[in-house]
């Protein structure tokens, strides 16, 4: 996977996440983390192509932060979206 494909995959699904939020599959906390991920990816884009290399993926502090946010998002996701907690 190319570095920019990571962001492209996120960008392809994030705009539609409101539907999952309305269905109760995305909590307020998860929505906040996903929003922060979106903002961080935008910030990396604004830094230019140097932030979008294989080397940057391993060494750039922005990518380190994104990995932490992604891990946090995973811990907040429901195991099965259709079993909404009551």
């Amino acid at each position: 996977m190319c570095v920019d494909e990571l962001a492209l995959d996120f960008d392809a699904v994030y705009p539609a996440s409101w539907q999952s939020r309305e269905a109760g599959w995305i909590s307020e906390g998860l929505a906040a983390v996903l929003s922060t991920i979106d903002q961080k990816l935008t910030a990396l884009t604004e830094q230019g192509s140097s932030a979008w290399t294989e080397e940057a993926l391993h060494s750039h502090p922005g990518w380190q932060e994104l990995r932490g946010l992604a891990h946090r998002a995973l811990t907040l996701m429901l195991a099965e979206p259709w079993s909404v907690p009551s």
Side-chain angles (χ1 to χ4, degrees), residues 22-69:
E22 283 186 357
W25 300 342
I26 294 179
S27 67
E28 294 283 329
L30 178 54
V33 173
L34 294 175
S35 176
T36 302
I37 289 171
D38 186 52
Q39 293 167 9
K40 297 292 180 182
L41 287 170
T42 298
L44 282 173
T45 298
E46 291 170 354
Q47 291 179 24
S49 60
S50 65
W52 294 90
T53 65
E54 291 290 327
E55 174 62 27
L57 185 60
H58 299 286
S59 63
H60 192 285
W63 285 107
Q64 178 67 26
E65 190 174 357
L66 277 164
R67 282 190 289 280
L69 288 165

Side-chain angles (χ1 to χ4, degrees), residues 2 4 11-17 20-21 23 28 31-32 40 44 49 60 66-67 71 74 77-78 82:
C2 295
D4 60 349
D11 283 344
V13 296
Y14 178 69
S17 67
S20 294
R21 188 170 179 188
E28 294 283 329
K40 297 292 180 182
L44 282 173
S49 60
H60 192 285
L66 277 164
R67 282 190 289 280
H71 177 72
L74 286 172
M77 289 181 183
L78 298 171
W82 48 87

